[in-house]
Amino acid sequence: MIGAPMDALHTRLLVARFGDAFRFYDALLPALLGATRTRGGAEGPYASWDVDGQGVLALFDRTAMAATAVPLGPAGPDDRTMLVSRVPDVDAAYAACLARGATPAGPPTDRPEWGPTLRSAHVRDPEGNLWELQSY
């Protein structure tokens, strides 16, 4: 294992109707899972919910994702979900994924617009699913 994971793996939905999706999940996740909203609001473009300090779901406006991320490959505009993992070393995790057959979708990059110390990279698994590796 490359360091100890935090927010080991959660889903991020890439949505076209952010406000509608936000209101849906903001009403149901607390009631059904005991989730707490940790970031964002109905205005978007990002919101997330945790249970016991661990990320369980995030929403990101699809247009905003396309504008801020590196090109996500031929399936990029049609992506509706991505896996997201917080890792201790984005560069090492990215290299490990590539060594095991992942397709690069975006190299390790500092993203101060997402958080002052946030760094992320994007890969696609053998089925083409998008996976974001991040540290902050």
Side-chain angles (χ1 to χ4, degrees):
M1 185 169 94
I2 304 170
M6 295 179 280
D7 289 343
L9 183 67
H10 67 274
T11 302
R12 179 180 296 158
L13 302 178
L14 305 176
V15 298
R17 295 177 10 227
F18 188 91
D20 292 341
F22 173 86
R23 286 184 286 281
F24 178 81
Y25 287 107
D26 200 47
L28 290 173
L29 291 175
L32 298 178
L33 304 178
T36 303
R37 182 169 18 109
T38 56
R39 289 180 208 92
E43 68 283 354
Y46 183 84
S48 62
W49 293 262
D50 290 3
V51 171
D52 296 329
Q54 294 295 308
V56 293
L57 182 70
L59 299 178
F60 201 3
D61 180 272
R62 189 177 310 142
T63 302
M65 179 68 190
T68 60
V70 293
L72 299 177
D78 296 325
D79 285 327
R80 294 192 180 270
T81 62
M82 73 166 48
L83 299 175
V84 180
S85 294
R86 185 173 177 188
V87 297
D89 183 332
V90 169
D91 296 82
Y94 181 77
C97 289
L98 296 183
R100 287 163 184 80
T103 302
T109 304
D110 292 329
R111 299 198 183 279
E113 68 277 14
W114 292 358
T117 61
L118 199 138
R119 183 167 178 77
S120 70
H122 296 85
V123 297
R124 290 192 181 277
D125 72 11
E127 286 291 316
N129 297 302
L130 189 58
W131 189 6
E132 179 176 292
L133 308 165
Q134 59 176 237
S135 65
Y136 50 93

